[in-house]
Amino acid sequence: MAQRDDLLAKAPITLNVDRPALGNKVLRNTYMLLSMTLLFSALTAGIAMATHAPPLHWLITLGGYFGLLFVVTRLRDSAWGLAAVFALTGFLGYTLGPLLNLYLKLPNGPELVMTALAGTGAIFLALSAYAVVSRKDFSFMGAFLMVGILVAFLASIGAVLFNLPTLALAVSAMVILLMSGMILWQTSEIIHGGETNYIMATVSLYITLFNLFVNLLQILGIMSGDD
């Protein structure tokens, strides 16, 4: 009996964690914060549009993005992480302002912007709803998506440096497919407990929506003959 008690004392203690409940809580917090960051970035984009801010150099944009993303990652477990999230999304919204002004000057610019916005919303709602309702595990897509995003990033830099419109169009189409996969993957990670930090989940989904909108807008502009 003493030996049995010793074995029980040394046995590891396992906590009964309700993973579905935890995933649902993280998902609610993520969607709430995502909604607020989208509104805030729309505000900063509106400020950039109203002041006719010039486009930032792509090196400044990349530096600001990766710098603020680093700050968010470091502060993700503190209250300051929320401030960092709004700084990042506000910065990206501001960089979007000059692009929107450029498209709105086109004859069918307002239609292009609204179509890209509606398309982005429809894709996000459809894919996130599918992931939540089906509760399928899309974790297997993670490695493929990371490699695809790296390839698309390098190809986009090449398209800018060497002024290759055809490559830019191909990259935009690739990014749209990758971002659609990211919505499925990130939502699945949240509901299955793979991502428990709603700050990082929000940033991931925000960046996904940002890239989805920009690349949809670019493809629509090219297809309409205005880009």
Side-chain angles (χ1 to χ4, degrees), residues 32-211:
M32 185 181 300
L33 182 58
L34 179 63
S35 300
M36 291 188 290
T37 56
L38 288 172
L39 289 174
F40 183 67
S41 62
L43 174 63
T44 57
I47 292 174
M49 294 171 67
T51 58
H52 299 285
L56 297 178
H57 192 278
W58 65 274
L59 285 176
I60 297 177
T61 301
L62 286 180
Y65 165 67
F66 283 111
L68 288 170
L69 184 60
F70 173 79
V71 173
V72 171
T73 303
R74 290 295 300 271
L75 300 176
R76 64 185 181 274
D77 295 319
S78 70
W80 286 105
L82 292 173
V85 170
F86 280 98
L88 173 61
T89 56
F91 173 75
L92 290 177
Y94 187 84
T95 64
L96 195 59
L99 178 65
L100 292 176
N101 273 341
L102 179 64
Y103 275 91
L104 289 174
K105 291 178 182 178
L106 301 175
N108 61 337
E111 290 80 6
L112 290 176
V113 173
M114 292 305 299
T115 301
L117 186 61
T120 300
I123 291 172
F124 174 73
L125 290 176
L127 294 178
S128 59
Y130 176 74
V132 171
V133 173
S134 69
R135 303 196 74 84
K136 289 185 177 180
D137 187 357
F138 292 99
S139 59
F140 66 91
M141 298 173 62
F144 169 77
L145 290 171
M146 294 305 107
V147 172
I149 290 172
L150 177 60
V151 171
F153 174 71
L154 295 176
S156 65
I157 292 179
V160 171
L161 291 177
F162 301 105
N163 192 24
L164 301 173
T166 303
L167 178 59
L169 179 61
V171 169
S172 291
M174 182 180 179
V175 169
I176 291 173
L177 291 175
L178 289 170
M179 294 304 104
S180 298
M182 280 292 296
I183 294 172
L184 289 172
W185 175 78
Q186 185 62 76
T187 306
S188 173
E189 286 290 286
I190 295 172
I191 62 180
H192 290 289
E195 176 61 83
T196 58
N197 189 298
Y198 71 95
I199 287 180
M200 296 308 299
T202 298
V203 169
S204 176
L205 287 175
Y206 176 90
I207 294 172
T208 297
L209 290 173
F210 181 90
N211 287 318

